[in-house]
């Protein structure tokens, strides 16, 4: 039986009280709690606008729509991510391609991105959108990607589902300093949770209005945005084909309450990560390089078993950790190797760094309430197998 999962939410009495207060109020959805949560996140992360959604997957879809992605369009992301980072383009009828990861940071390789842009320009098939992913909570080099966007004319959606509370060069992830839109996730395994939930952040008021439009059926009730004459106080317009991607007030209250403990959570995650670093030093494993000005949110603590060892070693460590009650996991099976993407023409050998990562990576448990003694047990079990 797995008694230490790889991730786990922390729900306090304060969170429960906040949710109960909404249940007793007049609004369950689209009431005051959603904008209050949006305001708190946008202030905390220093973005001008925040648009909450019922998941990060929905927020990614809204972001692609807001940026005008459609049939014949093209989005690039990394293979080392959750499928949602790529699927958002498919929802819009657009094509997906991938950029391999950096073997040091396990984030998007800016060198591979630049090479691919040079080739794509020659072939007349530049991407409309690039989606860098903050893998495990570490920011990619957004500034360098922003420079490439200036040269090659693509838009940027940061998938920061792992990275609320992280920073790069002192800049909080989510500020959109080097992107058009940043997306967050509030799924229970992530850094803070709303049960389910996501958010899109931007500094562009026009994009913010379009994000809000796609969140709610493409409908606007703002008279200043109407295309036809306002017939009366009941009047609203559906201007685009939107969705119902709204977050409830119940979820927003939980997310907002959790936001108050963001620093505490990220500090604890970093503390646990440092102890793993220290105790695992000397074992035949590799860790990601975290570029010094970066602070990771440490959504995940991922190790890689030595590159010289075969997959059978990886699989054996996996099996024995799980047999010992430790819920190790794999982040990620490269997206281009999923049957859905293979059927679109992708296959093994195309993105060797992400594929090597997928054969070698093991996610160790990491969450704020992981106790020191539980962590000790995980470390001892791992040492047993790798020494
Ligand atoms: C979790 C996750 C998502 C999807 O988040 P949901 O809120 O569950 O829709 C997207 N991208 C990445 C990188 C994720 O880890």
């Amino acid at each position: 039986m797995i008694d230490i999962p790889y991730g786990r939410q922390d729900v306090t009495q304060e969170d429960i009280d906040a949710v109960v207060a909404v249940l007793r109020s007049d609004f369950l959805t689209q009431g005051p709690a959603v904008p209050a949560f949006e305001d708190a996140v946008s202030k905390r992360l220093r973005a001008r606008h925040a648009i909450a959604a019922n998941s990060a997957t929905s927020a990614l879809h809204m972001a692609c729509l807001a940026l005008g992605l459609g049939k014949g369009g093209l989005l690039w992301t990394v293979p080392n991510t959750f499928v949602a980072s790529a699927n958002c383009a498919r929802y819009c009828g657009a094509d997906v391609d991938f950029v391999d990861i950096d073997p040091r940071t396990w984030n998007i390789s800016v060198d591979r991105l630049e090479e691919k842009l040079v080739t794509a320009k020659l072939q007349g098939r530049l991407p409309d959108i690039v989606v860098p992913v903050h893998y495990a909570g570490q920011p990619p080099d957004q500034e360098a990607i922003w420079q490439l966007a200036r040269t090659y004319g693509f838009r940027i959606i940061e998938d920061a589902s792992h990275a609320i509370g992280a920073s790069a060069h002192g800049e909080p992830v989510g500020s959109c300093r080097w992107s058009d839109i940043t997306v967050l996730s509030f799924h229970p395994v992530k850094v803070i949770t709303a049960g389910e939930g996501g958010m899109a952040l931007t500094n562009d008021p026009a994009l913010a209005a379009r994000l809000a439009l796609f969140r709610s059926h493409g409908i606007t009730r703002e008279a200043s945005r109407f295309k036809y004459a306002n017939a009366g106080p009941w009047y609203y317009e559906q201007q685009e084909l939107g969705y119902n991607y709204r977050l409830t007030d119940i979820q927003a209250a939980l997310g907002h309450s959790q936001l108050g403990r963001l620093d505490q959570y990220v500090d604890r995650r970093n503390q646990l990560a440092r102890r793993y670093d220290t105790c695992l030093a000397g074992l035949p494993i590799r860790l990601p390089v975290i570029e010094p000005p970066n602070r990771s949110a440490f959504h995940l603590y991922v190790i890689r078993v030595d590159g010289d060892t075969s997959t059978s070693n990886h699989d054996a460590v996996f099996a024995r950790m799980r047999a010992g009650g430790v819920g190790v996991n794999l982040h990620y099976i490269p997206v281009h190797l999923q049957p859905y993407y293979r059927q679109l023409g992708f296959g093994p050998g195309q993105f060797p760094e992400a594929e090597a990562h997928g054969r070698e990576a093991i996610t160790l448990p990491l969450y704020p309430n992981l106790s020191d003694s539980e962590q000790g047990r995980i470390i001892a079990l791992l040492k047993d197998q790798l020494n």
Side-chain angles (χ1 to χ4, degrees):
M1 195 199 75
I2 305 283
D3 64 328
I4 308 178
Y6 86 88
R8 194 175 199 296
Q9 72 278 11
D10 168 51
V11 175
T12 65
Q13 187 59 45
E14 206 181 356
D15 294 343
I16 293 166
D17 293 345
V19 170
V20 169
V22 168
L23 290 172
R24 294 192 197 285
S25 76
D26 292 339
F27 298 94
L28 297 185
T29 192
Q30 287 289 95
V34 168
F37 182 37
E38 290 172 334
D39 284 352
V41 174
S42 68
K43 283 207 180 69
R44 176 68 175 70
L45 305 188
R46 292 193 227 139
R48 236 167 256 144
H49 307 276
I51 294 87
N54 57 12
S55 70
T57 304
S58 304
L60 284 164
H61 186 195
M62 281 159 33
C64 288
L65 291 167
L67 290 170
L69 192 68
K71 229 182 164 62
L74 178 61
L75 176 148
W76 289 0
T77 188
V78 283
N80 185 32
T81 186
F82 185 56
V83 293
S85 314
N87 289 348
C88 53
R90 303 295 300 155
Y91 299 151
C92 301
D95 294 324
V96 171
D97 201 352
F98 299 94
V99 180
D100 211 350
I101 59 168
D102 183 322
R104 293 167 60 252
T105 62
W106 312 347
N107 267 328
I108 189 168
S109 162
V110 176
D111 292 342
R112 292 293 90 75
L113 174 60
E114 187 164 14
E115 284 168 19
K116 199 175 170 92
L117 287 164
V118 169
T119 312
K121 188 169 184 194
L122 290 173
Q123 294 169 342
R125 187 78 170 116
L126 283 166
D128 301 287
I129 297 174
V130 173
V131 180
V133 176
H134 297 241
Y135 178 72
Q138 177 177 205
D141 190 347
Q142 287 300 141
E143 198 174 355
I145 299 166
W146 184 246
Q147 292 306 331
L148 290 172
R150 300 280 70 71
T151 308
Y152 293 93
F154 57 84
R155 311 298 291 273
I156 301 171
I157 303 171
E158 296 176 64
D159 185 344
S161 293
H162 298 183
I164 187 172
S167 63
H169 307 276
E171 189 78 26
V173 167
S175 75
C176 301
R177 169 133 182 228
W178 298 295
S179 65
D180 296 286
I181 297 172
T182 301
V183 167
L184 307 171
S185 172
F186 307 122
H187 180 279
V189 297
K190 306 290 163 74
V191 178
I192 63 168
T193 187
E196 290 274 6
M199 204 173 276
L201 300 153
T202 183
N203 291 318
D204 178 340
L207 274 181
R210 286 181 62 74
L211 285 161
L213 202 63
F214 286 111
R215 168 173 65 182
S216 204
H217 309 280
I219 287 175
T220 181
R221 291 174 188 279
E222 278 179 56
S224 64
R225 299 189 182 279
F226 289 158
K227 298 201 188 297
Y228 292 94
N230 182 355
W234 59 85
Y235 189 69
Y236 60 83
E237 283 187 356
Q238 185 203 340
Q239 299 178 335
E240 294 277 2
L241 183 61
Y243 298 82
N244 178 355
Y245 281 165
R246 293 187 302 265
L247 191 72
T248 66
D249 264 33
I250 304 165
Q251 294 165 307
L254 177 56
H256 197 164
S257 180
Q258 293 247 321
L259 184 68
R261 295 193 302 281
L262 178 60
D263 288 330
Q264 192 184 312
Y265 285 157
V266 172
D267 285 349
R268 176 65 180 157
R269 286 176 175 277
N270 272 273
Q271 184 188 27
L272 288 162
R274 270 197 306 276
R275 180 164 175 226
Y276 272 137
D277 287 349
T278 308
C279 296
L280 301 179
L283 290 183
I285 61 168
R286 274 182 299 146
L287 299 172
V289 173
I290 298 189
E291 309 281 359
N294 282 357
R295 177 169 162 83
S296 174
F298 271 108
H299 161 52
L300 300 174
Y301 190 89
V302 182
I303 63 168
R304 285 171 65 171
V305 293
D306 201 37
D308 293 337
T309 55
S310 64
T311 50
S312 61
N313 179 47
H314 172 264
D315 299 355
V317 171
F318 224 91
R320 273 180 276 155
M321 294 295 285
R322 285 202 169 178
V326 175
V328 290
N329 218 320
L330 175 59
H331 298 92
Y332 288 95
I333 302 162
V335 176
H336 69 287
L337 299 183
Q338 293 291 353
Y340 174 79
Y341 283 94
R342 288 193 196 220
Q343 150 245 296
L344 294 174
F346 294 100
Q350 285 184 297
F351 305 101
E353 293 297 344
E355 291 169 29
H357 184 277
R359 287 189 301 269
E360 298 170 359
I362 299 174
T363 304
L364 302 181
L366 181 64
Y367 47 91
N369 287 332
L370 182 70
S371 70
D372 292 339
S373 70
E374 284 168 329
Q375 191 182 27
R377 210 180 101 200
I378 298 161
I379 291 164
L381 201 56
L382 195 64
K383 279 187 162 170
D384 244 22
Q385 290 152 57
L386 291 176
N387 259 331

